[in-house]
Amino acid sequence: KKNDVMKKDDIIIAKKGRKSLLGYGIVTSDYYYDDSEEKYPNQREVQWIRKGEWDDEETLRGPMVLKTLTDITKYLEKYEILYKL
């Protein structure tokens, strides 16, 4: 199922484009649909640990993927860099 890609207790990293990080947090709820949200009705609760904006393509060793949702655990080098940031 499409909604099984992300699950409760996953760590997420929010990004803007391919060069900016916006923060990271922990998914604290299962998927739910909120029909009062016109633009983004597909929801999950997130406990944001750190929010801001970091542009650091050099530290990231190149641009990030363009996809909206990417499991980076198989890209160990990228994961370690993001973890240190």
Side-chain angles (χ1 to χ4, degrees):
K1 283 175 20 180
K2 180 182 177 182
N3 296 323
D4 290 341
V5 174
M6 188 186 314
K7 60 189 177 306
K8 191 174 176 185
D9 297 324
D10 279 353
I11 295 172
I12 61 170
I13 299 168
K15 65 181 185 66
K16 180 172 82 176
R18 298 187 73 183
K19 299 178 184 178
S20 295
L21 299 175
L22 300 176
Y24 77 96
I26 300 170
V27 177
T28 59
S29 77
D30 291 324
Y31 164 84
Y32 63 94
Y33 185 86
D34 183 352
D35 59 6
S36 70
E37 289 287 336
E38 195 170 307
K39 192 169 182 178
Y40 301 108
N42 299 298
Q43 302 275 316
R44 291 182 190 271
E45 300 285 329
V46 175
Q47 176 189 354
W48 292 103
I49 307 299
R50 185 141 187 224
K51 293 191 278 185
E53 187 164 347
W54 299 270
D55 293 318
D56 201 345
E57 187 175 4
E58 184 177 324
T59 300
L60 293 169
R61 296 186 189 149
M64 293 177 278
V65 295
L66 196 53
K67 281 176 51 179
T68 301
L69 185 60
T70 304
D71 180 355
I72 65 165
T73 54
K74 60 186 171 186
Y75 305 105
L76 186 59
E77 179 183 337
K78 201 66 112 173
Y79 174 80
E80 288 173 344
I81 292 167
L82 290 168
Y83 183 79
K84 288 176 186 176
L85 287 174

